[in-house]
Amino acid sequence: MTLPELFQLSLHEAGQGLRRQEFSVVELARSYEGRIEETEPHLGSFIALAEPSLSHQAQSLGPSTGQKHSWLWGIPGGIKDNICTSALPTTCASLSLEGFVPPYTATVVSRLEQAGYLCAGKTNLDEFAMGSSTETSAFGPTVNPWDSSRVPGGSSGGSAAAVASGQVAFALGSDTGGSIRQPAAFCGVVGLKPTYGLLSRYGLIAYASSLDQVGIFTRTVYDAALVLQELAAHDAKDATSSRRPLVRYAEASPYDLQGVRIGVPEECFGLSIQPEVSDVVRAAIRALAEAGAHIELCSLPHLPHALAVYRVIAAAEASSNLARFDGVAYGQQGHGDTVGTMIRSGRSTFIGDEVKRRILLGTLLLQRGEGSSRYEHAQRVRTLICRDYERAFSRFDVLACPTTPTVALESGQWADDTCGLGEADLFTAPVNLAGLPAISVPCGLSGALPVGLQLIAPAHKEKRLLGVARAYEECQPFDGNRRGPLYGRRR
Amino acid sequence: MNFIPLIGLEIHAELATQSKLFCSCPVAFAHQPNDLTCPVCLGLPGSLPVLNRRAVELAVRAILALGGEVNPLSSFARKNYFYPDTPKGYQITQHQYPLGWGGKVLVEGETHRQKVGIRRIHLEEDAAKLVHEGAGDGPLEQAQATLVDYNRSGVPLIEIVSEAEMETPEMAQGFLEEVKQILQYTGVSHGRMEQGSLRVDCNISLRPEASLSWGQRVELKNLASSRSLVRALHDEIKRQEGLLRAQEPVLPETRHWDERREISVALRGKETESEYRYLPEADLPPLLLERSWIAQIEANLPQLPGARRRRLTEQYGLSRYAARVLADSRSLADFYEETVANDVDAKLAANWIMGELMHQVKERRTTFCQLPFAPAALARLLSMTADGTISSAVTKKVLDRMCKEDIDPVEWVETKNLTQITDQETLSVVVDRILKENRAAVESFRQGKSKALDRLVGKVMQATHGRAKPRLVHVLLRKGLARTIDEHE
Amino acid sequence: MTDVSSLHAEVEKAAELAGIQLNEADLALFTEQLERAVMSLVSLLELDVSNVEPTGWLTSSSAQVMREDEPGEVLGTHRALRMAPRTRNGYVQVPPVMKGEG
């Protein structure tokens, strides 16, 4: 049996190798550099690669101090390009922010830097994180590493593709309605969206402030726990940041599924789901039952309204959040003989059509009727959705359902998905409405494409969520990694 | 046909904090442009607001001082509009659930007395400052470019919205002055209109005396002082009366007061309320205040200007005018009361403080807190004045000296030998000499010009370096004059 | 809500408020697309939720935590203006707010 290449190791394995001094940080960095060089031209995962290079960054880390440093020390990671970094431009994949270098760094990235991670670069996304395919990026699409004719999902498609193909060991993304879990499912990797407020949003360029949450892509659940542990802490710069005591998310001992109550929302297996996807997910849920979990069907009666609620809230908040891109103090500037015409010309030229449509929808919804009544109406239905989850969690420890109704779609199919009218977010967006933690774990293949199992837990129960996910990973080892792009070689 | 105006004010007051409302940038007036900025107040993407506790405390203090109710649960909202002074494309303000509501302010003037109601008081952030280059004092249309200074962006403000129930521009001015004084007394705001730390907009509508229905409401903006408020309101009342008489419609619009030309101009493109698309500010959780904290702020409120004025009239027997002048600021009223506490006649102290000392303070562009002497020193000086040890002229001289340097008035009077000359013989010698040396004045007095007597008094005071007791000088001069006139005839 | 001509006017107004210029063709296309989006919300908006409180903040378990009034670090004029497309004498410069008639 041939030894794996270093980039094929999981984050935890690579960290162990560094601790045991089986290889150096520079060797690890070089392996990733080679992989990026090999795969990036056809994947397009990155908007910008880091300067200086990974191996240069590794050299300046200094010698290993053995056990003392963080698990992320010397580990290459990617940052979604809607998270601010003062060392690299932050564009949100929009022409309006082309060349914009923020004078500050997001709190989550600062925490990674303190841990000694290596920055591989800024990953691609749908413009301003609005989309499910990473095709609306102003700098070109990312392709699915499993099948280059398919999309990687979105909006964090670049991060998902980079982790799936071995360009990085982990990546940060953001999840407003499924932007981490959906591409994770499409690319066969683990995608974790924590509880709203657990990770600081300071430096995450807002799409919909009441839904946005920074999250993590890794190749294993345990890796996600290691990264989460490094990032979760109160941030005084974010008034919505949680002040709960710190939790150790990465436990060495396995999680016992015996007696764990898992609810399966029946609404998730309705009309819209591809039968093969449904079959793979049902099989995964059976595996959980065989490992000792107690499985029962449950109901989230307001789920059918969730997408509409999500669309109203996301569009309304986006219309306000994106008003700041006026080209006055930063960003690309339009022209005109008054400041008003200058702002309008700039926004019209440098903001893409899909983003414009959502801004217009949000503006339309907020301007209709008295005050913000439509938005408020959606917020009332949102309360009903939150209550559905509360009721479910009074009976269950976690909920299990598909992450997406389909596998990765062919490129170009999303052109019709204006204003998020597609159903890619069907099972993920309701979770954001309730601010809950959820994870997508690869659970098998439909044809030659990966399928994701979504697990959802009550707020701040990440430890339980990660435990169940890891137990699943162990009881039914899905060998997607070995069969997928991580081991695949093009050319 | 006569018309009755109805006026309401919106007062914006900058809170006297060290740092901005949602970021820790320092607050300072007249600083190098754009120096006091950070990602939050520049509206950079990804930045988030974090609320300043002191700003909330000052706003609560203002609400309580104005007699309003503090909402224990309030929240922030976004007011969306494009303007280069609003870097995020929205202003963070309070909309549905303001921090305070209700309240009444008693406005008393020479001719009027009214309790003016307050509708609401809320917290919000200030906008950046725009310089319209090339416009000078002229109309905005002449500007060649707009320059933006973000130093003011994010400075904490409270907006105080009065009920529209004032009937004269003078009443509106009285309300503005009273609110300003309350904010200054409580340390909520510096309240300097000339620096823009207090700004006022107003709305006004008219109805014919015989009618019950009010006309369209017009808003007036850019009122730089309480004087321009009065002028703009008079001008606007005249304008609306003219329209109504000519049976032309009054348009619901916002008008910009042009200070230089003293006319108002209609502003174009002003958003209506629904166009602001108010939205809850998801980046800031609801503001939940503990009742004990509110109670503590209330307990620490200083005596307010109205009560202070009443105390000055009741406790010291001062006139309403004197009480108004002395209670103008807390530091002045404190200075006065501390002076009187040192056993000085209250009215004497009031006269000297309101007269000579205020003149000195103004002349020296200083404040009562910054004077080089304590109220006790003034009391020692005025005690000598009261018991006749020194004359008024000397009192004035010593006071002038005390404003310049730290001297003890009693020691100074002794060492400089400034005590009042009350000895008749000594003064007679001087008076006789002055009468001899000023024949012309004596002659005019003889011809019935009584002013000549003042001139002679002045000469005697000059000769005695102001030490002569004025009343005695008068008596002696009159006697001397009578003598010389007798001799003459 | 189903009236397309009134939606057309609403989209035009929304574009103005959102600072987006649309030519006639864009406006027509966007109106058509937005109509689908708005139609997809009809059943949501028909739900009677008048007796349900709106979800305000997901972090409502804890009230807002405030910061102390302590001045902190600033970017300073140089770093603040470095990102600006046009500056002048320490200010950010933009075209005038209003256009003169001559």
Side-chain angles (χ1 to χ4, degrees):
Chain A
M1 179 184 154
T2 50
L3 283 174
E5 302 238 19
L6 295 183
F7 71 78
Q8 289 165 336
L9 298 175
S10 74
L11 187 157
H12 182 236
E13 287 163 348
Q16 262 176 337
L18 289 174
R19 286 177 181 215
R20 295 183 191 137
Q21 305 196 344
E22 289 165 6
F23 45 83
S24 72
V25 275
V26 177
E27 285 171 301
L28 181 67
R30 290 230 165 94
S31 173
Y32 276 101
E33 264 172 21
R35 183 63 174 174
I36 291 172
E37 213 170 291
E38 177 195 355
T39 54
E40 182 56 16
H42 60 262
L43 277 182
S45 314
F46 290 93
I47 289 179
L49 287 168
E51 280 294 333
S53 67
L54 286 172
S55 52
H56 272 89
Q57 292 176 48
Q59 269 154 8
S60 50
L61 272 182
S64 166
T65 52
Q67 302 288 321
K68 273 182 269 174
H69 44 60
S70 149
W71 282 103
L72 299 188
W73 187 82
I75 304 290
I79 309 296
K80 188 178 182 181
D81 204 26
N82 62 350
I83 300 176
C84 287
T85 49
S86 62
L88 286 170
T90 301
T91 67
C92 286
S94 177
L95 291 177
S96 61
L97 282 178
E98 191 174 12
F100 172 67
V101 183
Y104 75 105
T105 294
T107 301
V108 282
V109 176
S110 298
R111 294 189 67 84
L112 292 180
E113 286 170 353
Q114 278 159 23
Y117 97 118
L118 308 180
C119 180
K122 301 300 287 288
T123 59
N124 202 8
L125 64 150
D126 283 298
E127 184 177 2
F128 285 110
M130 295 179 184
S132 310
S133 66
T134 315
E135 289 178 306
T136 69
S137 166
F139 307 115
T142 299
V143 302
N144 191 314
W146 289 74
D147 178 348
S148 58
S149 71
R150 294 185 183 256
V151 300
S155 64
S156 314
S159 288
V163 171
S165 59
Q167 294 179 322
V168 289
F170 75 97
L172 296 189
S174 65
D175 192 317
T176 306
S179 283
I180 286 176
R181 290 157 289 156
Q182 185 255 21
F186 281 12
C187 292
V189 294
V190 171
L192 171 68
K193 180 208 98 78
T195 306
Y196 183 81
L198 184 65
L199 302 192
S200 167
R201 289 187 296 121
Y202 187 77
L204 167 67
I205 298 182
Y207 164 11
S209 310
S210 78
L211 301 164
D212 292 344
Q213 180 58 200
V214 173
I216 301 157
F217 291 92
T218 51
R219 288 181 224 138
T220 70
V221 174
Y222 192 69
D223 285 359
L226 289 174
V227 181
L228 181 66
Q229 199 154 281
E230 211 63 60
L231 297 180
H234 173 68
D235 181 14
K237 290 178 180 156
D238 175 359
T240 61
S241 165
S242 162
R243 302 175 71 85
R244 285 165 175 260
L246 298 182
V247 174
R248 265 193 64 86
Y249 295 105
E251 285 291 356
S253 56
Y255 195 85
D256 188 1
L257 282 179
Q258 207 60 222
V260 172
R261 301 162 303 165
I262 299 179
V264 179
E266 54 190 9
E267 290 82 2
C268 295
F269 292 88
L271 294 175
S272 315
I273 192 164
Q274 282 177 349
E276 302 80 20
V277 170
S278 174
D279 291 345
V280 174
V281 173
R282 282 177 203 277
I285 292 170
R286 269 198 305 279
L288 283 166
E290 281 158 21
H294 172 76
I295 312 283
E296 206 178 304
L297 274 180
C298 69
S299 174
L300 300 171
H302 294 92
L303 212 62
H305 294 293
L307 262 191
V309 172
Y310 167 74
R311 276 177 209 142
V312 173
I313 292 171
E317 293 184 9
S319 73
S320 174
N321 281 326
L322 271 66
R324 68 185 67 203
F325 302 105
D326 57 8
V328 171
Y330 54 87
Q332 295 296 319
Q333 191 173 79
H335 44 78
D337 53 7
T338 67
V339 67
T341 52
M342 180 206 89
I343 291 174
R344 278 195 296 280
S345 107
R347 286 172 65 81
S348 306
T349 310
F350 300 114
I351 293 179
D353 280 353
E354 177 58 20
V355 177
K356 276 184 203 157
R357 269 190 294 269
R358 295 197 193 194
I359 291 174
L360 287 173
L361 176 62
T363 309
L364 204 64
L365 292 168
L366 285 177
Q367 107 198 23
R368 281 184 163 204
E370 278 300 298
S372 55
S373 63
R374 275 170 179 74
Y375 178 82
E376 197 180 293
H377 182 89
Q379 291 282 35
R380 289 179 198 274
V381 183
R382 185 179 185 176
T383 302
L384 296 178
I385 291 163
C386 292
R387 284 189 198 156
D388 282 357
Y389 279 109
E390 273 169 38
R391 216 169 292 128
F393 285 123
S394 67
R395 290 171 55 212
F396 301 103
D397 299 311
V398 295
L399 302 180
C401 65
T403 306
T404 55
T406 66
V407 289
L409 298 190
E410 299 275 350
S411 304
Q413 292 189 12
W414 299 81
D416 274 348
D417 176 33
T418 53
C419 298
L421 277 181
E423 299 200 317
D425 299 331
L426 195 59
F427 307 139
T428 45
V431 176
N432 296 71
L433 292 174
L436 304 175
I439 193 167
S440 177
V441 191
C443 67
L445 296 178
S446 164
L449 293 167
V451 173
L453 166 71
Q454 180 177 223
L455 297 168
I456 307 162
H460 294 289
K461 299 296 181 196
E462 274 82 359
K463 192 162 178 174
R464 182 196 296 168
L465 180 71
L466 290 161
V468 173
R470 195 169 154 218
Y472 168 73
E473 205 178 43
E474 277 162 12
C475 77
Q476 186 185 345
F478 163 61
D479 206 12
N481 282 343
R482 286 187 182 275
R483 291 165 64 185
L486 186 63
Y487 281 74
R489 290 200 185 269
R490 312 207 156 240
R491 278 181 278 179
Chain B
M1 187 162 39
N2 279 326
F3 294 92
I4 296 174
L6 207 54
I7 302 164
L9 297 190
E10 278 177 23
I11 300 172
H12 287 90
E14 279 184 2
L15 300 175
T17 55
Q18 301 290 308
S19 64
K20 293 186 179 179
L21 186 55
F22 296 122
C23 62
S24 57
C25 287
V27 173
F29 178 70
H31 212 270
Q32 184 190 335
N34 291 305
D35 199 21
L36 308 175
T37 54
C38 75
V40 177
C41 56
L42 287 171
L44 296 190
S47 67
L48 294 170
V50 183
L51 184 60
N52 181 338
R53 175 198 304 277
R54 175 78 176 162
V56 177
E57 183 187 335
L58 292 178
V60 167
R61 208 188 276 178
I63 293 163
L64 295 170
L66 293 167
E69 296 285 334
V70 177
N71 268 334
L73 183 65
S74 65
S75 66
F76 289 90
R78 293 180 180 183
K79 180 178 179 180
N80 296 289
Y81 61 97
F82 283 102
Y83 207 63
D85 66 359
T86 307
K88 299 186 293 294
Y90 57 84
Q91 178 197 33
I92 305 180
T93 178
Q94 296 191 296
H95 184 57
Q96 222 174 347
Y97 306 102
L99 189 59
W101 52 272
K104 274 207 183 311
V105 171
L106 177 64
V107 183
E108 280 178 296
E110 318 284 288
T111 53
H112 51 262
R113 185 186 149 93
Q114 187 190 339
K115 274 192 173 173
V116 178
I118 288 174
R119 192 173 300 164
R120 58 184 272 147
I121 299 176
H122 68 249
L123 260 173
E124 64 184 26
E125 58 178 344
D126 206 347
K129 198 168 173 178
L130 300 184
V131 180
H132 302 286
E133 205 183 43
D137 294 334
L140 285 177
E141 286 89 343
Q142 281 171 14
Q144 301 301 309
T146 296
L147 303 180
V148 194
D149 175 5
Y150 294 97
N151 282 353
R152 203 180 68 184
S153 167
V155 166
L157 294 178
I158 44 170
E159 180 175 326
I160 301 165
V161 184
S162 85
E163 296 291 351
E165 57 187 24
M166 291 166 273
E167 293 190 351
T168 64
E170 288 70 25
M171 191 68 216
Q173 182 187 32
F175 175 76
L176 173 65
E177 292 293 334
E178 190 67 27
V179 169
K180 174 176 138 187
Q181 222 173 63
I182 291 172
L183 298 180
Q184 288 173 332
Y185 256 65
T186 46
V188 166
S189 173
H190 298 304
R192 294 187 192 120
M193 288 195 82
E194 68 283 5
Q195 290 185 0
S197 67
L198 192 82
R199 304 193 281 274
V200 62
D201 299 333
C202 63
N203 56 71
I204 171 167
S205 54
L206 261 57
R207 74 167 163 86
E209 206 169 28
S211 162
L212 284 174
S213 59
W214 290 96
Q216 270 303 342
R217 226 174 62 147
V218 173
E219 273 189 70
L220 286 171
K221 284 188 186 288
N222 194 42
L223 308 166
S225 64
S226 87
R227 214 186 60 154
S228 26
L229 170 72
V230 174
R231 294 194 176 195
L233 278 171
H234 277 301
D235 178 75
E236 181 60 20
I237 292 170
K238 240 187 355 211
R239 192 186 71 87
Q240 289 190 22
E241 278 180 355
L243 288 172
L244 293 172
R245 289 221 167 85
Q247 304 210 318
E248 281 171 42
V250 174
L251 299 174
E253 59 191 359
T254 298
R255 301 180 70 85
H256 181 94
W257 178 247
D258 186 327
E259 189 73 39
R260 201 174 46 97
R261 294 187 290 170
E262 297 217 327
I263 54 164
S264 66
V265 204
L267 281 181
R268 284 172 290 174
K270 157 92 178 144
E271 270 94 352
T272 64
E273 277 299 286
S274 83
E275 287 176 345
Y276 285 128
R277 292 158 285 135
Y278 284 99
L279 184 73
E281 171 54 287
D283 290 333
L284 292 165
L287 182 58
L288 184 65
L289 301 181
E290 280 177 31
R291 284 178 195 282
S292 60
W293 193 53
I294 299 171
Q296 191 191 331
I297 295 171
E298 184 156 34
N300 291 331
L301 279 182
Q303 186 166 47
L304 298 175
R308 194 81 187 249
R309 284 193 293 268
R310 266 194 302 286
R311 189 166 94 201
L312 292 184
T313 51
E314 284 161 15
Q315 191 170 334
Y316 306 105
L318 298 182
S319 69
R320 271 176 52 185
Y321 170 76
R324 179 162 284 280
V325 174
L326 288 172
D328 182 58
S329 75
R330 216 170 125 189
S331 59
L332 174 55
D334 286 348
F335 191 95
Y336 170 73
E337 288 203 90
E338 276 175 55
T339 307
V340 176
N342 284 280
D343 278 333
V344 192
D345 180 72
K347 282 184 186 151
L348 180 76
N351 288 338
W352 278 97
I353 290 175
M354 286 162 59
E356 184 59 22
L357 193 53
M358 258 189 160
H359 172 72
Q360 289 282 349
V361 164
K362 222 174 256 169
E363 195 99 303
R364 291 169 198 280
R365 296 199 177 140
T366 181
T367 64
F368 279 85
C369 328
Q370 288 168 316
L371 286 170
F373 59 91
L378 178 65
R380 282 203 296 284
L381 173 68
L382 294 182
S383 299
M384 292 190 285
T385 318
D387 67 13
T389 311
I390 55 173
S391 66
S392 308
V394 168
T395 307
K396 196 170 153 184
K397 271 190 192 167
V398 177
L399 192 55
D400 182 42
R401 174 63 63 169
M402 284 165 75
C403 289
K404 276 191 213 132
E405 52 184 308
D406 184 16
I407 54 159
D408 182 86
V410 177
E411 262 173 44
W412 183 265
V413 163
E414 266 169 27
T415 53
K416 297 281 169 181
N417 201 20
L418 297 176
T419 48
Q420 191 157 257
I421 303 170
T422 49
D423 176 52
Q424 198 162 335
E425 257 172 63
T426 319
L427 273 184
S428 293
V429 174
V430 181
V431 165
D432 288 350
R433 197 184 79 223
I434 293 299
L435 287 172
K436 268 193 202 114
E437 287 170 2
N438 293 278
R439 284 291 172 198
V442 174
E443 186 55 25
S444 9
F445 182 79
R446 202 179 61 82
Q447 285 167 6
K449 290 182 184 160
S450 55
K451 272 203 176 149
L453 179 62
D454 295 339
R455 217 154 60 231
L456 290 165
V457 171
K459 293 279 182 194
V460 176
M461 295 308 286
Q462 208 177 352
T464 58
H465 304 284
R467 291 175 57 207
K469 185 175 178 178
R471 192 162 302 159
L472 190 57
V473 172
H474 264 269
V475 172
L476 293 176
L477 269 176
R478 280 191 176 279
K479 272 189 195 164
L481 280 167
R483 226 171 31 240
T484 44
I485 289 165
D486 281 349
E487 279 164 18
H488 185 80
E489 285 168 355
Chain C
M1 224 176 191
T2 51
D3 184 348
V4 179
S5 68
S6 84
L7 184 65
H8 186 276
E10 272 188 275
V11 173
E12 200 170 12
K13 178 74 187 170
E16 188 196 317
L17 291 177
I20 292 172
Q21 250 164 10
L22 295 179
N23 58 35
E24 266 311 313
D26 286 345
L27 183 60
L29 179 65
F30 278 23
T31 303
E32 190 194 313
Q33 291 164 334
L34 288 168
E35 196 199 353
R36 285 172 51 211
V38 170
M39 290 301 287
S40 78
L41 306 175
V42 169
S43 73
L44 167 72
L45 295 172
E46 281 169 356
L47 275 187
D48 179 14
V49 282
S50 47
N51 54 351
V52 182
E53 277 293 300
T55 297
W57 287 264
L58 293 169
T59 41
S60 57
S61 54
S62 55
Q64 182 163 183
V65 176
M66 296 177 260
R67 48 164 254 279
E68 295 306 318
D69 182 28
E70 282 153 8
E73 255 182 74
V74 296
L75 284 177
T77 310
H78 176 71
R79 290 182 69 202
L81 296 188
R82 211 185 48 196
M83 300 163 282
R86 281 167 85 196
T87 63
R88 184 184 162 94
N89 298 332
Y91 291 92
V92 168
Q93 187 189 332
V94 289
V97 172
M98 287 185 214
K99 181 69 184 154
E101 318 307 339

